[in-house]
Amino acid sequence: MKKNETKTGRTKPADVRAREQMEDRAFNRMLLWLAATVVVEVVMLLVNRFYVHARVEELSALPTLHTILGIAPIAGILLCALLLYWGSRLYKREDVPQDGMLQFVLAAAFLCMGLGCWVMRNYGVAGAPMVLGLVPALGVLMLVFYLYQKEFFGCAIAGGLGILGMWLFRSAASGSTYYAYLVVSLVIIVLGAVLAGYLKKKDGVMTVKGKEFALLQSGAAYLAYYLTAVISAVILLAPLALGAAVAYYAIWVMAAWLFILAVYFTSKLM
């Protein structure tokens, strides 16, 4: 074997090295999101244990915790804004190796902790299960973002809005909270459908200020999102006419649909 052939055989092509670097970067970002999810969930578990479900001998500490939880949302929003500003400055600079992802992850973590503390302080036992379930759900959503096709990420968002809406309806069906959530969720789902239609025409590429961004790969499964959007919208509207009993079964319907999609998109990865 010639010397140049040996060297070529041992050296990876540039496109392979670039792809491996992209995969390593995505994997590291996924680990950051998972670590942040674990930290936020641990904090919420501590709040749930020592504030929401405080024992008799711990009641003397409740006023102090009540004050801290009242400050937490404000601190979380301020820290989130500062970290987003810091991260955006790093992202725009080309002379530093950092891309601001650590700052963005920390911003999301502080915002979630602040909002979680606000919910547990104001809703107590009624709001704690939602917070404790929503935090790991957001972590799973980030796993979907990095491991699966981006159209499945859109399906997960639409389906997650449907599941959360059914839980909220069963908890606050008589109030205006669900109606506000319904309007926001339907707007997000419809905007997602509009974006999917635009990307389908542009073969997954979006143009912003003359720059092209490939949001979806060629031949993306747009139908999967359209079906998920319709199912989620129907599920969100159905309990208004059929009652809270339907909301319980609708949660399992949406969960089953997302499981089917997970199997489908997993098979596409193989």
Side-chain angles (χ1 to χ4, degrees):
M1 183 179 292
K2 297 181 180 180
K3 183 177 181 180
N4 58 350
E5 291 178 353
T6 303
K7 184 177 180 181
T8 304
R10 293 178 179 177
T11 305
K12 295 181 179 179
D15 55 344
V16 175
R17 293 198 303 271
R19 184 171 65 250
E20 290 180 348
Q21 291 176 356
M22 291 180 60
E23 292 175 352
D24 291 340
R25 191 180 302 114
F27 182 74
N28 291 333
R29 290 177 176 179
M30 184 181 67
L31 291 181
L32 277 177
W33 285 107
L34 289 179
T37 301
V38 172
V39 172
V40 174
E41 182 70 2
V42 169
V43 173
M44 294 299 99
L45 286 171
L46 291 174
V47 174
N48 179 66
R49 164 61 184 82
F50 292 101
Y51 181 80
V52 179
H53 294 93
R55 297 172 181 171
V56 176
E57 61 270 18
E58 299 166 348
L59 294 180
S60 60
L62 285 184
T64 303
L65 290 176
H66 190 77
T67 302
I68 294 174
L69 294 180
I71 299 173
I74 301 174
I77 293 174
L78 290 177
L79 288 172
C80 176
L82 290 174
L83 287 166
L84 285 178
Y85 175 76
W86 184 12
S88 63
R89 292 291 300 271
L90 291 176
Y91 181 79
K92 294 177 180 179
R93 292 181 59 181
E94 298 181 355
D95 58 336
V96 294
Q98 302 179 20
D99 57 0
M101 181 53 62
L102 176 60
Q103 287 74 16
F104 294 146
V105 173
L106 290 175
F110 280 117
L111 181 62
C112 288
M113 281 191 283
L115 295 178
C117 289
W118 180 83
V119 171
M120 287 191 174
R121 183 178 187 266
N122 291 276
Y123 294 96
V125 178
M130 181 186 71
V131 175
L132 296 178
L134 191 57
V135 171
L138 292 175
V140 172
L141 194 63
M142 295 312 300
L143 282 177
V144 172
F145 178 81
Y146 284 105
L147 296 179
Y148 285 88
Q149 299 89 340
K150 296 303 180 285
E151 58 267 33
F152 183 38
F153 177 71
C155 294
I157 291 177
L161 290 173
I163 293 175
L164 181 59
M166 293 305 93
W167 184 92
L168 189 62
F169 185 89
R170 288 169 55 83
S171 302
S174 59
S176 59
T177 304
Y178 180 75
Y179 295 98
Y181 177 86
L182 175 64
V183 172
V184 174
S185 298
L186 291 178
V187 169
I188 294 174
I189 292 172
V190 171
L191 288 177
V194 172
L195 178 61
Y198 172 84
L199 292 176
K200 186 176 182 180
K201 294 180 181 179
K202 301 295 184 179
D203 200 23
V205 178
M206 171 177 281
T207 303
V208 179
K209 295 181 179 180
K211 297 182 178 180
E212 293 186 345
F213 300 92
L215 299 183
L216 296 176
Q217 73 279 5
S218 180
Y222 296 96
L223 180 60
Y225 179 80
Y226 294 142
L227 292 175
T228 306
V230 171
I231 294 172
S232 184
V234 171
I235 283 177
L236 287 169
L237 293 171
L240 296 177
L242 302 177
V246 174
Y248 173 78
Y249 295 104
I251 292 175
W252 295 103
V253 170
M254 180 55 74
W257 173 250
L258 290 178
F259 177 77
I260 293 172
L261 290 180
V263 174
Y264 169 71
F265 283 104
T266 300
S267 65
K268 289 187 67 176
L269 292 174
M270 299 178 178

